[in-house]
C-alpha cells in the first residue's frame, strides 16, 4: 500500500530512467517547444508516453536528475545514466559515449537542431550551456532515421524547461561551487510570457582553477612528470554562455527562435602535450591562470522553427532552419622542426585553428487522423558545411560537406497494447577537401635524405578528396504492453550507415598529446551495419525492473588502425590510418529499483559493452568497462539523501597499444532539498563525489595514456532559485 | 513473488552475457615487441662529431616491423644555444630521427651499427635517446635513455672497435 503511494511520487520526482523507443521524440519536442496553451506534461506521464511510443531504449534525465548530478558539464552529468559514458580531458572537455560509440557516431540536438562542432576532435567537448538544460532524452541504438547518418550509435536530445502556464515574468538564479577545481559558476535566466508571446534570456559564467588529483607524478611518453602540489598544472579555464529564446503562437501557427553563444577557454596540462619537458611543470604559483597551451572554443547558433497544424490536428507541418558557427583554436608556444619556418607575424602561437560554418534546414509533415490506427511522418533534411583551417601547424584540411536526406516513418497501432513502427531513410552526402602541401616539411624531408616516392607520399599534407556517398537506413520495431501494463516488451532492428567524416578521409598530421600520426584514407567506404535492440520492463507498485540488451554487426566499421610504420614527421609516433573492418558490439544495461519502505529505496544499475574487431581479432579502442551502481536513497518531506557505491570493472579487452585499466570502487553521497517557495520550488543539492579520494584511472579518459588519474574528492553545492 | 521473478530475469540476462565476456576472448596479437638496448647505456656520453655505437636486441612473439631512433635535447628550458666553442661556428641543439626496417619479418634480431652521427655543431648537454619499435600488427614499444653530448668521451665508451684508440 505504501508502495502505491511511493511509486507515483518517484515518477513525478523523476529520478527514473525508462527504456522506450524512437520515432516519437520529434513530435514530442515540437509540442513541448511550441505548445504554449498551458498543457504541462508531468514527468511521469511524459516518461510513460515516451516509453510506449517507440521501440528503441531510451533514458530520460529530467530537471531533478540534472540538478542532483550537476557538474557544470552536461556530458559528465549524463554519465550517471546506464549505457552512457563521458570521454574526458581533465575537467574542461567531455564528449558523450553511448554503448561504446562516440565522436561522430552520436548526434546531439538542442531544440531540434543538430549540434555541429569539431566533434571528431579527440580534445573537443560539447558546447552546451549546462545551466540552460531542462530535460535530456538519450536514445540508445540507431537513431539515424531521425538525425541522419551521424546518429548510428544514438542521439542526445536536449530541451529547455517549458514556459509557465500563465502570463507572468519569471526567472531563475543558479549558483554552483565545486571543490576539486575551485569552480564557481552561476547562471541567471529572465523570461516573460504574455498570451501567445514568450521570451527567455540566459547568461552563464563559470570559472575554474587547476584541478586536484590524488597523485604526485604522472607518466608521459615514458617520462615521469611531477604534479606540483597535487594539482594538474594549467587545467584552469572559464566558460561564458548567453542565449535568447523566443516563441509565438496563435491558433494553429507557432514559431520559435533561438540564438545562443558559448565560449570556453581551457588550458591543457603541458606535461601531456608535445614533447615531455619537466621545466614547464614547475608550480607557477597561480592555480587560476591559463597559460599556453590552451584551447579556445566558440559556438554560435541561430535557429528557428515554424509550425502549422492543419485540419484539427490531422496534419502538422514544421520547418527548422539553423545556422551554426564553430571556432576552435589551439594555442601553443610557437615551435617548429623546420629550419625555414618562422613564427607567423599575426598570432604567432596559434597552432591550430578551425572554423566550421553549418547551414541546415529540415521539414517534417506528420499525418494523423483521430481514431485512425496509423500515423505517418515524412521528412527532409539538408545540411551544408564549410570548414576552414589556420595556424602554424596542420592536422585537417579545409573542406566542404553537403548532406541531404529524405525519410518516411510509419507507426501502426492495431490495439492499445501493441504498436508497430517502421521507417526508411535515404541519405546523400558529398565531401570535398582541399589539397595542401607543406613546403617546410618538404625541405625538412629533403634535408633528411628522403627522395622519390617516400618524399612524394609525405609532401602532401592532404590529398584533394572529392567523394559522393548515398545509402539507405531503415528500421522496424514493436512495443507490446500486455494487460494492465506491468510488463512491456520491445524490440527493434535497424540497418544504419554513416558517411565517413573529413578527418577519416583526409586528415594527415600529428595531434599533439596523441603523439601518433593520424592519416585519413581518401578511398574509405561508408560505415554500414545492422543493429538489434530489445527491452523488457516490469513495473509494480514497489519494483521497477528494466533490461535492455543489444547486438550490432558492422560489415564496415571505420577505426584508426596502427600500421606498424613510424612516421617521418618530426616528433611523430606510429602512423595510424583510418581503416574499415568488420566489427561486433554487444551488451546490455539493466536497472532494478525496489521500494524497501515508503521512504527508503534501493537501486541497482548495471551496464556492459563488448566490442570486437573481427578483422584484427582484438577489441576496439575505448571500450567502456563494465560497471555497477548500488544506490540507497531515503526520500521524505522535500529531502532526499543517498549513498552510492559505484563499481567499475577492470578493462582488459583493449585495442593495440591501449593499456588495460584496473577496476575501482568509489563511494559517492548526496543530499538534496527542495522546498516550495511561493509558486516555485527552491532546490539545494550537496554532493560528495569520490568520498575516499581514491586514485584511479578512467579507461575512456584522454589523459589515461599519460597515466593521469581522475580528479580526487569533490564536494559540490548547487543552489537553484526559480522565481 | 514478482520481485523474485524480476530478479531471476536479471540473473538470466547476466548469465547470458557472462559467458560471452569470458569465452569470446579475442586472440589477435596485442603483445608488445621487446627492446633490449645494450649501447648506448644509461648516462653514456656521445661524442660530438663522432658516430654512435648502437647495439640492441629486439624480439616479438609474431614478427618485427621497424624501429626508429630519435635523439632530442633535454635542456629543460636551460638555454644552451649560446654555447660556442672557441673559434668555431655557433652550436645548435642536436636532433636526430631515423627509421630502419631491416628487421622486418624477423622474430628476433640483433642490431649493431654506427649510422647515427652526432654533428660537429651539436650543442653539448643532456639529451634523450629514444628507441621506438613496432611489430607486424602495429603493437609498439619504446624506451628512453638519458645521454650526454660532449666534446670528449668519458671512461665508458665504445669498447670493441675503438679499443685501439685509448
Amino acid at each position: 500500500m505504501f508502495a502505491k503511494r511511493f511509486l507515483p511520487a518517484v515518477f513525478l520526482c523523476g529520478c527514473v530512467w525508462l527504456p522506450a523507443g524512437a520515432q516519437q521524440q520529434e513530435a514530442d519536442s515540437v509540442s513541448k517547444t511550441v505548445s504554449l496553451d498551458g498543457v504541462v506534461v508531468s514527468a511521469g506521464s511524459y516518461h510513460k508516453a515516451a516509453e510506449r511510443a517507440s521501440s528503441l531504449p531510451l533514458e530520460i534525465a529530467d530537471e531533478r536528475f540534472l540538478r542532483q548530478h550537476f557538474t557544470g558539464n552536461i556530458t559528465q552529468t549524463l554519465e550517471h545514466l546506464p549505457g552512457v559514458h563521458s570521454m574526458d580531458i581533465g575537467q574542461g572537455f567531455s564528449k558523450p559515449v553511448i554503448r561504446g560509440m562516440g565522436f561522430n557516431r552520436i548526434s546531439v540536438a538542442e531544440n531540434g537542431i543538430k549540434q555541429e562542432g569539431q566533434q571528431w576532435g579527440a580534445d573537443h567537448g560539447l558546447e552546451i550551456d549546462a545551466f540552460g538544460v531542462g530535460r535530456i532524452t538519450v536514445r540508445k541504438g540507431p537513431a539515424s532515421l531521425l538525425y541522419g547518418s551521424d546518429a548510428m550509435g544514438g542521439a542526445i536530445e536536449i530541451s529547455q524547461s517549458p514556459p509557465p502556464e500563465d502570463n507572468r515574468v519569471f526567472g531563475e538564479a543558479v549558483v554552483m561551487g565545486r571543490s576539486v577545481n575551485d569552480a564557481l559558476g552561476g547562471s541567471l535566466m529572465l523570461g516573460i510570457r504574455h498570451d501567445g508571446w514568450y521570451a527567455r534570456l540566459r547568461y552563464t559564467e563559470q570559472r575554474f582553477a587547476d584541478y586536484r588529483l590524488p597523485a604526485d607524478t604522472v607518466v608521459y611518453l615514458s617520462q615521469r612528470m611531477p604534479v606540483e602540489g597535487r594539482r594538474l598544472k594549467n587545467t584552469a579555464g572559464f566558460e561564458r554562455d548567453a542565449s535568447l529564446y523566443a516563441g509565438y503562437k496563435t491558433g494553429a501557427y507557432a514559431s520559435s527562435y533561438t540564438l545562443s553563444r558559448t565560449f570556453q577557454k581551457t588550458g591543457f596540462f603541458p606535461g601531456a602535450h608535445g614533447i615531455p619537458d619537466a621545466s614547464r611543470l614547475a608550480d607557477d604559483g597561480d592555480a587560476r591562470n591559463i597559460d599556453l597551451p590552451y584551447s579556445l572554443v566558440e559556438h554560435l547558433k541561430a535557429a528557428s522553427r515554424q509550425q502549422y497544424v492543419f485540419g484539427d490536428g490531422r496534419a502538422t507541418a514544421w520547418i527548422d532552419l539553423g545556422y551554426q558557427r564553430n571556432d576552435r583554436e589551439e594555442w601553443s608556444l610557437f615551435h617548429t622542426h623546420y629550419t625555414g619556418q618562422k613564427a607567423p607575424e599575426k598570432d604567432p602561437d596559434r597552432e591550430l585553428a578551425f572554423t566550421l560554418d553549418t547551414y541546415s534546414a529540415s521539414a517534417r509533415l506528420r499525418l494523423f487522423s483521430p481514431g485512425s490506427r496509423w500515423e505517418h511522418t515524412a521528412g527532409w533534411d539538408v545540411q551544408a558545411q564549410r570548414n576552414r583551417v589556420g595556424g602554424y601547424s596542420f592536422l585537417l584540411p579545409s573542406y566542404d560537406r553537403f548532406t541531404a536526406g529524405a525519410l518516411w516513418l510509419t507507426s501502426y497501432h492495431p490495439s492499445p497494447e501493441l504498436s508497430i513502427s517502421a521507417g526508411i531513410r535515404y541519405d546523400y552526402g558529398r565531401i570535398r577537401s582541399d589539397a595542401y602541401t607543406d613546403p617546410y616539411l618538404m625541405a625538412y624531408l629533403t634535408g633528411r635524405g628522403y627522395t622519390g616516392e617516400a618524399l612524394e607520399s609525405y609532401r602532401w599534407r592532404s590529398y584533394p578528396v572529392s567523394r559522393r556517398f548515398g545509402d539507405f537506413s531503415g528500421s522496424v520495431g514493436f512495443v507490446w504492453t500486455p494487460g494492465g501494463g506491468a510488463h512491456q516488451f520491445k524490440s527493434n532492428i535497424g540497418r544504419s550507415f554513416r558517411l565517413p567524416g573529413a578527418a577519416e578521409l583526409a586528415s594527415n598530421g600529428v595531434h599533439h598529446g596523441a603523439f601518433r600520426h593520424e592519416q585519413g584514407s581518401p578511398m574509405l567506404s561508408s560505415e554500414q551495419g545492422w543493429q538489434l535492440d530489445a527491452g523488457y520492463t516490469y513495473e509494480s507498485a514497489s519494483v521497477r525492473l528494466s533490461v535492455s540488451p543489444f547486438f550490432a554487426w558492422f560489415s564496415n566499421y571505420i577505426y584508426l588502425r596502427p600500421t606498424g610504420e613510424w612516421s617521418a614527421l618530426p616528433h611523430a609516433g606510429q602512423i595510424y590510418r583510418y581503416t574499415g573492418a568488420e566489427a561486433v558490439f554487444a551488451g546490455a544495461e539493466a536497472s532494478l529499483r525496489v521500494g524497501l519502505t515508503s521512504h527508503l529505496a534501493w537501486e541497482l544499475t548495471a551496464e556492459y559493452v563488448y566490442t570486437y574487431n573481427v578483422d584484427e581479432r582484438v577489441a576496439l579502442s575505448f571500450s567502456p568497462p563494465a560497471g555497477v551502481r548500488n544506490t540507497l536513497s531515503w526520500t521524505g518531506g522535500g529531502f532526499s539523501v543517498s549513498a552510492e557505491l559505484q563499481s567499475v570493472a577492470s578493462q582488459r579487452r583493449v585495442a593495440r597499444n591501449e593499456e588495460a585499466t584496473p577496476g575501482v570502487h568509489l563511494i559517492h553521497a548526496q543530499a538534496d532539498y527542495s522546498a516550495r517557495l511561493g509558486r516555485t520550488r527552491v532546490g539545494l543539492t550537496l554532493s560528495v563525489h569520490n568520498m575516499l579520494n581514491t586514485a584511479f584511472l578512467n579507461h575512456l579518459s584522454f589523459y589515461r595514456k599519460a597515466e593521469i588519474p581522475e580528479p580526487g574528492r569533490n564536494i559540490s553545492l548547487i543552489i537553484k532559485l526559480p522565481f | 513473488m514478482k520481485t523474485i521473478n524480476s530478479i531471476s530475469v536479471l540473473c538470466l540476462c547476466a548469465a547470458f552475457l557472462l559467458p560471452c565476456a569470458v569465452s569470446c576472448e579475442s586472440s589477435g596479437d596485442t603483445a608488445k615487441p621487446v627492446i633490449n638496448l645494450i649501447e648506448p647505456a644509461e648516462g653514456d656520453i656521445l661524442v660530438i662529431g663522432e658516430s654512435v655505437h648502437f647495439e640492441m636486441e629486439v624480439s616479438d612473439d609474431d614478427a618485427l616491423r621497424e624501429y626508429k631512433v630519435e635523439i632530442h635535447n633535454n635542456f629543460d628550458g636551460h638555454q644552451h644555444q649560446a654555447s660556442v666553442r672557441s673559434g668555431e661556428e655557433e652550436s645548435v641543439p642536436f636532433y636526430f630521427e631515423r627509421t630502419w626496417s631491416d628487421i622486418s619479418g624477423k622474430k628476433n634480431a640483433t642490431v649493431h651499427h654506427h649510422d647515427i652521427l652526432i654533428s660537429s655543431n651539436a650543442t653539448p648537454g643532456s639529451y634523450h635517446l629514444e628507441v621506438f619499435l613496432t611489430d607486424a600488427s602495429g603493437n609498439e614499444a619504446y624506451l628512453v635513455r638519458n645521454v650526454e653530448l660532449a666534446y670528449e668521451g668519458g671512461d665508458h665508451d665504445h669498447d670493441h672497435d675503438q679499443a685501439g684508440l685509448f
Side-chain angles (χ1 to χ4, degrees):
Chain A
M1 208 172 81
F2 56 80
K4 269 185 183 157
R5 283 203 316 271
F6 174 70
L7 201 71
V10 171
F11 269 116
L12 286 169
C13 299
C15 185
V16 207
W17 31 76
L18 308 175
Q23 277 78 335
Q24 194 200 305
Q25 170 67 18
E26 291 230 332
D28 271 341
S29 60
V30 174
S31 55
K32 174 172 66 319
T33 319
V34 294
S35 104
L36 300 174
D37 37 10
V39 182
V40 172
V41 182
S42 74
S45 64
Y46 174 81
H47 282 162
K48 289 213 166 185
E51 184 182 19
R52 281 211 177 204
S54 86
S55 52
L56 268 184
L58 58 86
E59 308 281 351
I60 294 166
D62 61 11
E63 185 273 331
R64 183 187 166 102
F65 177 91
L66 294 171
R67 189 182 75 229
Q68 288 187 338
H69 298 102
F70 194 85
T71 64
N73 173 328
I74 202 68
T75 312
Q76 287 179 1
T77 301
L78 291 177
E79 195 169 34
H80 292 266
L81 297 170
V84 184
H85 291 89
S86 165
M87 194 179 256
D88 300 335
I89 307 174
Q91 290 290 282
F93 306 98
S94 301
K95 61 178 72 231
V97 174
I98 300 175
R99 291 176 165 175
M101 289 195 190
F103 298 91
N104 46 4
R105 292 186 181 91
I106 299 290
S107 280
V108 177
E110 194 180 23
N111 295 330
I113 296 284
K114 199 168 126 192
Q115 183 92 3
E116 290 290 341
Q118 308 280 345
Q119 58 264 60
W120 39 263
D123 45 8
H124 189 81
L126 193 59
E127 299 110 347
I128 295 280
D129 178 1
F131 288 88
V133 176
R135 176 169 59 210
I136 297 180
T137 305
V138 178
R139 280 176 202 290
K140 298 188 283 192
S144 319
L145 275 182
L146 299 176
Y147 292 103
S149 80
D150 283 359
M152 73 191 314
I156 293 170
E157 292 157 358
I158 296 171
S159 50
Q160 269 82 46
S161 310
E165 296 164 46
D166 48 345
N167 285 345
R168 54 183 284 218
V169 173
F170 59 96
E172 180 188 75
V174 188
V175 287
M176 173 204 74
R178 279 159 64 76
S179 68
V180 75
N181 55 354
D182 300 333
L184 197 62
S187 183
L188 191 67
M189 184 268 281
L190 272 175
I192 183 165
R193 165 157 191 188
H194 187 78
D195 299 332
W197 295 92
Y198 167 58
R200 194 183 54 214
L201 188 68
R202 179 180 287 276
Y203 179 82
T204 298
E205 183 148 340
Q206 275 194 70
R207 284 173 184 277
F208 50 92
D210 300 346
Y211 73 84
R212 293 181 174 85
L213 80 171
D216 296 304
T217 56
V218 298
V219 178
Y220 174 59
L221 297 182
S222 84
Q223 305 287 299
R224 195 157 280 279
M225 299 298 208
V227 178
E228 300 283 346
R230 292 200 151 200
R231 290 184 92 132
L232 205 60
K233 190 185 167 184
N234 202 41
T235 53
F238 81 93
E239 180 175 337
R240 188 176 290 150
D241 311 321
S243 63
L244 174 67
Y245 179 88
Y248 174 68
K249 183 183 161 91
T250 174
Y253 170 76
S255 65
S256 66
Y257 306 87
T258 314
L259 184 66
S260 68
R261 178 185 178 269
T262 61
F263 176 80
Q264 289 170 350
K265 179 177 178 181
T266 312
F268 288 120
F269 175 56
H273 207 92
I275 309 158
D277 182 353
S279 72
R280 291 186 291 170
L281 301 183
D283 191 1
D284 57 11
D286 186 355
R288 291 198 171 267
N289 65 332
I290 307 169
D291 214 336
L292 294 170
Y294 63 80
S295 146
L296 292 179
V297 173
E298 188 179 342
H299 193 270
L300 179 77
K301 180 163 60 183
S304 77
R305 169 168 290 186
Q306 312 295 326
Q307 178 181 279
Y308 197 82
V309 181
F310 302 90
D312 299 329
R314 284 169 195 278
T316 307
W318 69 95
I319 294 175
D320 287 340
L321 295 173
Y323 167 71
Q324 295 172 67
R325 184 192 179 94
N326 187 241
D327 277 302
R328 167 186 171 212
E329 292 181 1
E330 295 193 5
W331 291 65
S332 181
L333 190 67
F334 178 78
H335 55 278
T336 181
H337 311 287
Y338 312 136
T339 43
Q341 188 176 11
K342 297 275 178 282
E345 283 190 5
K346 185 170 179 274
D347 300 332
D349 296 326
R350 195 176 66 161
E351 185 171 13
L352 293 168
F354 307 95
T355 301
L356 178 67
D357 288 301
T358 304
Y359 301 85
S360 59
S362 62
R364 292 286 184 278
L365 176 67
R366 187 157 59 111
L367 303 168
F368 170 74
S369 6
S372 161
R373 291 173 174 178
W374 292 88
E375 188 181 318
H376 304 282
T377 305
W380 170 78
D381 292 323
V382 60
Q383 191 191 62
Q385 288 185 317
R386 172 81 184 137
N387 190 54
R388 283 159 290 159
V389 302
Y392 65 83
S393 192
F394 183 84
L395 180 65
L396 185 79
S398 296
Y399 67 85
D400 288 303
R401 186 175 191 258
F402 173 83
T403 55
L407 67 115
W408 183 273
L409 310 172
T410 290
S411 61
Y412 172 59
H413 310 271
S415 78
E417 294 179 353
L418 185 64
S419 157
I420 297 167
S421 55
I424 189 158
R425 179 181 176 117
Y426 183 80
D427 279 280
Y428 165 81
R430 189 188 71 206
I431 185 158
R432 273 199 298 244
S433 77
D434 301 350
Y436 180 77
T437 54
D438 186 338
Y440 300 118
L441 177 64
M442 191 165 168
Y444 169 85
L445 293 172
T446 311
R448 306 205 67 75
Y450 285 87
T451 51
E453 206 175 297
L455 181 64
E456 185 63 21
S457 77
Y458 279 104
R459 186 175 76 90
W460 293 89
R461 295 307 300 273
S462 152
Y463 291 104
V465 174
S466 180
R467 295 287 308 270
R468 286 159 202 273
F469 300 90
D471 209 342
F472 284 96
S473 39
S475 82
V476 182
F478 73 88
V479 185
W480 181 45
T481 319
H487 301 270
Q488 186 173 72
F489 300 87
K490 56 179 59 178
S491 186
N492 187 79
I493 184 159
R495 179 193 190 274
S496 34
F497 96 105
R498 185 177 68 84
L499 309 170
E504 290 162 324
L505 293 169
S507 65
N508 190 13
V510 183
H511 201 283
H512 46 207
F515 178 62
R516 63 194 183 189
H517 177 173
E518 298 180 358
Q519 217 170 54
S521 307
M523 295 315 294
L524 276 179
S525 307
S526 61
E527 204 161 84
Q528 291 175 353
W530 290 88
Q531 289 159 282
L532 176 68
D533 287 272
Y536 166 73
T537 313
Y538 168 75
E539 207 178 301
S540 77
S542 58
V543 175
R544 210 199 115 74
L545 168 75
S546 143
V547 183
S548 40
F550 64 95
F551 181 86
W553 174 77
F554 292 92
S555 55
N556 190 43
Y557 186 86
I558 300 169
Y559 75 109
L560 271 172
R561 189 178 75 87
T563 59
E565 299 159 34
W566 294 104
S567 170
L569 301 184
H571 287 296
Q574 196 183 156
I575 298 174
Y576 277 64
R577 195 167 294 134
Y578 284 101
T579 310
E582 187 185 338
V584 169
F585 281 75
E589 295 94 39
S591 70
L592 173 68
R593 186 179 175 106
V594 183
L596 302 170
T597 72
S598 59
H599 293 295
L600 201 62
W602 170 65
E603 178 154 358
L604 173 80
T605 64
E607 57 186 13
Y608 175 72
V609 180
Y610 171 88
T611 68
Y612 189 58
N613 179 334
V614 182
D615 286 11
E616 298 286 329
R617 293 181 299 140
V618 294
L620 290 163
S621 59
F622 292 119
S623 292
V628 174
R629 288 176 192 259
N630 266 285
T631 314
L632 201 60
S633 58
W634 184 91
T635 318
F639 281 99
S640 108
V641 184
S642 67
E644 180 174 291
L645 172 69
Q646 182 191 0
S647 311
V648 182
S650 61
Q651 183 55 285
R652 299 190 197 290
R653 302 198 68 261
V654 292
R656 294 203 168 103
N657 304 319
E658 193 181 46
E659 296 294 324
T661 303
V664 68
H665 294 282
L666 301 170
I667 295 173
H668 316 304
Q670 188 186 70
D672 184 74
Y673 177 64
S674 134
R676 239 188 142 78
L677 188 84
R679 50 182 176 179
T680 60
R681 292 193 81 86
V682 176
L684 200 146
T685 307
L686 180 72
S687 55
V688 189
H689 191 262
N690 190 4
M691 221 165 188
L692 305 179
N693 205 24
T694 310
F696 68 102
L697 298 169
N698 178 354
H699 192 68
L700 299 185
S701 169
F702 184 78
Y703 282 159
R704 159 71 187 93
K705 219 175 160 62
E707 289 182 39
I708 299 178
E710 292 298 289
R713 181 188 301 119
N714 180 37
I715 302 169
S716 66
L717 179 71
I718 320 292
I719 303 169
K720 209 166 180 174
L721 188 79
F723 52 86
Chain B
M1 191 60 200
K2 280 187 171 174
T3 314
I4 294 167
N5 277 341
S6 312
I7 291 169
S8 59
V9 169
L10 191 71
C11 292
L12 246 159
C13 195
F16 165 76
L17 284 166
L18 207 68
C20 190
V22 180
S23 68
C24 312
E25 217 17 89
S26 36
S27 52
D29 178 21
T30 52
K32 294 175 189 305
V34 180
I35 307 169
N36 177 21
L37 181 60
I38 301 159
E39 284 284 334
E42 178 70 18
D44 267 8
I45 288 172
L46 309 184
V47 182
I48 291 168
E50 290 182 9
S51 61
V52 178
H53 170 202
F54 188 85
E55 191 175 347
M56 69 171 179
E57 285 164 354
V58 287
S59 61
D60 185 62
D61 60 343
D62 179 30
L64 294 159
R65 178 67 186 262
E66 59 185 37
Y67 70 95
K68 171 166 132 167
V69 176
E70 182 177 316
I71 301 172
H72 60 246
N73 75 69
N74 180 29
F75 296 164
D76 271 359
H78 307 296
Q79 289 303 310
H80 285 236
Q81 275 84 345
S83 166
V84 179
R85 214 183 186 190
S86 56
E88 284 185 21
E89 59 183 324
E90 191 172 307
S91 72
V92 292
F94 181 67
Y95 178 72
F96 176 88
E97 174 267 336
R98 187 174 156 188
T99 300
W100 287 263
S101 48
D102 51 351
I103 56 167
S104 180
K106 296 177 186 167
K107 276 197 170 188
N108 298 284
T110 303
V111 174
H112 182 189
H113 60 66
H114 293 259
D115 295 348
I116 305 167
L117 176 74
I118 310 291
S119 55
S120 54
N121 63 347
T123 306
S126 107
Y127 282 76
H128 288 144
L129 182 145
E130 297 179 317
V131 179
F132 302 85
L133 176 68
T134 49
D135 70 10
S137 35
N139 294 299
E140 63 185 48
Y142 58 92
L143 179 149
V144 183
R145 284 276 153 89
N146 290 290
V147 291
E148 195 82 21
L149 260 62
Y151 295 112
E152 304 296 332
D155 295 339
H156 185 105
D157 207 345
H158 306 159
D159 42 17
H160 60 113
D161 52 345
Q162 294 184 15
L165 289 175
F166 292 92

